[in-house]
Amino acid sequence: MVAGPFLYRYPAMRRPAKRSLDILLSGIGVLVSAPLWAVIAAMIKLDTRGPVFYGQARVGEGGRIFEVLKFRSMIADAEKDVGPKPAEQHDPRVTRVGRVLRATAMDELPQLWNIFRGEMSFVGPRALRPEEIDVDTAGRSVPLQSIPGFAARSAIPPGLTGIAQIYARRDVSRRQKFRFDRLYVRRQSMLLDLRLILLSFWITARGSWEAREKKF
């Protein structure tokens, strides 16, 4: 567990209704999408060498570290020479199949299991990597823990989708995205969750998750 910044406590939305919705939707999602998992796995294996799944450490509620599961969308050992580096536009590390998976968010389909286990929720701030950094206005690298809003967003489970994932432009700073996260922490409700889930399905249908401009 990561200590320090997570001493902040915000009244979290862990009502039984939200957790029940997560269990119901993730359970149904895994069962209904099972045939699609097989198709995606076959496409990945035919496209490039390497494993089908990719596990990555992420920071969860209260700073707890968990392993998020994704379909591999990059070449094997993509971070071997460059370290933990987010994908850029036209990133050569992203495979042909991976581009389709990332545009439709199908690479994140295995995270339904993370939601079912209670490590994530359908809606919430994006799960970040422990070693992620941001750049301030002076161009200096700063740890995410020092950015205003980090503690507040870490008081609730990370989400598969959320306000920042949908409304923030892809290439804006973490500082700006944290403002959207703080807005969700303050205004979270079942109605808002359902709205964000429906918008996420719309973005997936359009294949515009990787768009640098507005997604809809």
Side-chain angles (χ1 to χ4, degrees), residues 47-48 73-76 78 82 85-96 98-99 102:
D47 188 34
T48 57
S73 61
M74 291 187 175
I75 58 174
V82 298
K85 178 183 177 183
E88 301 173 347
Q89 192 171 19
H90 308 303
D91 197 313
R93 298 174 300 163
V94 179
T95 66
R96 291 174 299 177
R99 295 193 186 283
R102 295 171 74 93

Side-chain angles (χ1 to χ4, degrees), residues 98-150:
R99 295 193 186 283
V100 177
L101 295 179
R102 295 171 74 93
T104 57
M106 288 294 103
D107 61 319
E108 299 189 350
L109 197 57
Q111 290 177 39
L112 290 173
W113 181 241
N114 291 111
I115 296 173
F116 191 79
R117 286 167 53 93
E119 297 162 331
M120 294 179 61
S121 177
F122 260 96
V123 182
R126 185 172 183 81
L128 302 175
R129 302 177 68 171
E131 67 273 23
E132 278 196 58
I133 60 174
D134 197 21
V135 178
D136 63 15
T137 53
R140 296 169 300 197
S141 297
V142 296
L144 297 186
Q145 290 90 336
S146 66
I147 299 176
F150 182 81

Side-chain angles (χ1 to χ4, degrees), residues 179-196:
R179 293 173 183 168
F180 288 94
D181 294 335
R182 293 164 71 182
L183 177 63
Y184 175 76
V185 171
R186 291 196 303 269
R187 299 189 178 183
Q188 55 186 311
S189 68
M190 290 300 296
L191 185 61
L192 177 58
D193 278 11
L194 291 173
R195 171 182 169 81
L196 294 173

Side-chain angles (χ1 to χ4, degrees), residues 170-183:
R170 181 172 177 82
D171 295 327
V172 300
S173 69
R174 289 294 184 196
R175 184 179 298 269
Q176 292 175 282
K177 289 181 179 179
F178 282 8
R179 293 173 183 168
F180 288 94
D181 294 335
R182 293 164 71 182
L183 177 63

Side-chain angles (χ1 to χ4, degrees), residues 27-42:
I28 293 175
V30 169
L31 292 176
V32 172
S33 64
L36 183 58
W37 288 44
V39 172
I40 293 174

Side-chain angles (χ1 to χ4, degrees), residues 2 6 18 20 45 48 52 61 72 80 87-88 109 121 125 145 160 167 172 184 191 197-198 203 205:
V2 180
F6 304 96
K18 181 176 175 70
S20 297
K45 295 301 288 186
T48 57
V52 169
E61 181 182 8
R72 181 174 59 82
K80 183 178 179 181
E88 301 173 347
L109 197 57
S121 177
Q145 290 90 336
L160 187 62
Y167 289 101
V172 300
Y184 175 76
L191 185 61
I197 290 171
L198 290 175
I203 297 170

